[in-house]
């Protein structure tokens, strides 16, 4: 490639990295960066919804990696250059650590990365949408790659930025333990006035640091119009249906959502409805929670559809309506516990419980009673209320899990 084009790509990419740096790196990002810095070679892939801090991590690593090269994929494509050619050129000029932002923009990028890594055994750090990990896991690059996922700010991280106090990170078992639960609640109670602002608009790093709730709408627009294109061929109708579907998800109670209901309200087939849901989940704009259990019964049940914080609130604000409190609580719970399933009791189809390891959690408001978990072992009520009994856990304690 020409030296002039190479230098132009580096200059514009460097400017993007500079604008992405922050004075204080969030705890979750520090953990990811520290893990990557421990390794001298390998392929490291950072995925997550837009605005969750992937580029910021790359900008931080750029300060510490040896002979680093930062590339923004969109800038490379605009210059008409090929990824593999550019990597070879940079390697010949002495680069040994390669940080590639938004790699999913390159067609068949995973093949180029595999070839280049096998040739050079260097250190390659890649960021991209949540769909990137699925594409890699289906390729030969999967055996060479280590994955990390960025998420919206935890309540714990949010409090750290707002108050300067970093509360300890805990495990589920710490929240279950009665004595530890009491101590944890005492540590959080002074900061409960921050809980609602966090739920509403402050959970996504990009929106929090820019102090602009419109960031959510911009991210949704860009993800649907551009990122989906790297997953499959899309047309104007598909894009329109994706916007309508995410509006339905954000304004509905999670228990009311079903593929048949969405299909009917959108006026499209169930097959395309499922495909759009799957595509949006792969970009990180929605969470799909699998039913608990195995066998034919579990297969027949549908996924529960939730959203990362604070996308639901931002969308509802955009549409001029108030978000459902119950939906926000479930978004909060699922985001913080990570992997979980949901359990339908069979008593009422629309009131599922979440299953995390050996524990069952029913998420509800202050007046939620024990009816839904009655007779269940290791079952707890997760309530937006103070600690009152052995079976009740204040929901905000789950905000300390990461």
């Amino acid at each position: 490639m020409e030296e002039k084009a190479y230098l132009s790509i580096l200059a514009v990419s460097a400017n993007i990295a500079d604008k992405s740096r922050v004075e204080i790196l969030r705890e979750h990002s520090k953990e990811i960066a520290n893990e990557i810095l421990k390794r001298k070679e390998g392929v490291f892939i950072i995925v997550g919804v837009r605005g969750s801090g992937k580029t910021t991590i790359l900008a931080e690593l750029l300060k510490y990696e040896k002979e680093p090269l930062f590339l923004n994929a969109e800038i490379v494509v605009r210059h008409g250059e090929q990824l593999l050619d550019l990597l070879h050129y940079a390697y010949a000029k002495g680069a040994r650590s390669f940080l590639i932002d938004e790699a999913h923009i390159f067609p068949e990028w995973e093949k180029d990365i595999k070839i280049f890594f096998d040739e050079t055994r260097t250190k390659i750090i890649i960021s991209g949408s949540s769909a990137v990990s699925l594409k890699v896991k289906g390729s030969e690059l999967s055996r060479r790659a280590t994955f990390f996922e960025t998420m919206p700010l935890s309540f714990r991280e949010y409090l750290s930025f707002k108050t300067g106090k970093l509360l300890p990170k805990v495990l589920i078992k710490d929240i279950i333990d009665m004595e530890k639960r009491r101590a944890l609640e005492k540590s959080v109670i002074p900061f409960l006035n921050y809980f609602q602002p966090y739920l509403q608009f402050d959970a996504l790093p990009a929106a929090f640091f820019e102090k602009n709730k419109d960031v959510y709408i911009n991210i949704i627009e860009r993800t649907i119009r551009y990122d989906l294109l790297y997953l499959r061929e899309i047309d104007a109708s598909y894009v329109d249906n994706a916007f309508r579907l995410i509006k339905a998800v954000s304004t509905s109670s999670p228990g009311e959502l079903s593929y048949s209901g969405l299909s009917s309200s959108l006026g499209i087939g169930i097959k395309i409805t499922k495909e759009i849901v799957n595509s949006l989940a792969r970009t990180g704009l929605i969470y799909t929670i699998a039913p608990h259990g195995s066998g034919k019964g579990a297969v027949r049940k549908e996924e529960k559809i939730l959203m990362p914080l604070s996308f639901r609130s931002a969308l509802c604000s955009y549409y001029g309506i108030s978000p459902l409190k119950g939906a926000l609580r479930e978004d909060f719970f699922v985001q913080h516990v990570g992997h979980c399933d949901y359990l339908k009791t069979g008593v009422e189809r629309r009131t599922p419980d979440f299953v995390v390891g050996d524990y069952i959690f029913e998420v509800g408001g202050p007046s939620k009673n024990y009816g839904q978990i009655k007779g269940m072992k290791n079952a707890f009520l997760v309530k937006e209320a103070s600690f009152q009994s052995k079976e009740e856990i204040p929901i905000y304690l789950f905000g300390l899990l990461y």
Side-chain angles (χ1 to χ4, degrees), residues 277-288:
V277 167
N278 181 54
S279 293
L280 291 174
R282 291 172 70 182
T283 66
L285 285 183
I286 61 175
Y287 297 144
T288 53

Side-chain angles (χ1 to χ4, degrees), residues 154-331:
S154 68
F155 187 46
R156 169 177 170 265
E157 291 176 302
Y158 176 70
L159 290 180
S160 175
F161 284 114
K162 295 294 286 187
T163 70
K165 183 177 178 60
L166 181 63
L167 296 173
K169 185 166 66 171
V170 304
L171 302 173
I172 288 283
K173 65 180 182 180
D174 298 321
I175 298 174
I176 298 298
D177 183 278
M178 288 231 357
E179 292 303 315
K180 291 182 179 180
R181 193 189 313 169
R182 289 183 188 278
L184 289 171
E185 183 173 28
K186 287 181 180 179
S187 70
V188 178
I189 281 178
F191 310 111
L192 290 187
N193 58 310
Y194 292 103
F195 187 66
Q196 287 303 322
Y198 166 74
L199 288 183
Q200 293 297 322
F201 297 113
D202 286 350
L204 195 71
F208 175 69
F209 290 114
E210 293 179 24
K211 303 185 186 306
N212 180 8
K213 65 182 181 182
D214 291 338
V215 164
Y216 293 96
I217 305 304
N218 295 336
I219 286 173
I220 291 167
E221 285 270 352
R222 187 168 178 81
T223 300
I224 291 178
R225 294 191 184 280
Y226 299 103
D227 290 356
L228 290 184
L229 188 61
Y230 301 110
L231 294 175
R232 53 155 290 161
E233 291 185 5
I234 61 174
D235 55 20
S237 175
Y238 190 93
V239 168
D240 180 60
N241 286 326
F243 279 115
R244 293 167 62 212
L245 189 145
I246 206 164
K247 177 182 179 180
V249 170
S250 66
T251 57
S252 302
S253 168
E256 295 175 354
L257 291 171
S258 67
Y259 288 131
S260 59
L262 287 170
S263 170
S264 177
S265 64
L266 296 177
I268 58 177
I270 289 182
K271 182 178 179 181
I272 190 67
T273 299
K274 290 181 177 179
E275 190 172 304
I276 293 173
V277 167
N278 181 54
S279 293
L280 291 174
R282 291 172 70 182
T283 66
L285 285 183
I286 61 175
Y287 297 144
T288 53
I289 314 302
H292 184 67
S294 58
K296 294 181 179 179
V299 172
R300 284 196 296 268
K301 295 177 183 176
E302 298 181 355
E303 293 90 353
K304 189 178 183 68
I305 304 174
L306 294 166
M307 303 190 76
L309 295 168
S310 304
F311 281 89
R312 187 185 302 275
S313 294
L315 278 166
C316 285
S317 175
Y318 180 76
Y319 296 123
I321 61 176
S322 298
L324 296 172
K325 290 183 178 180
L328 289 177
R329 294 187 194 106
E330 294 193 27
D331 290 343

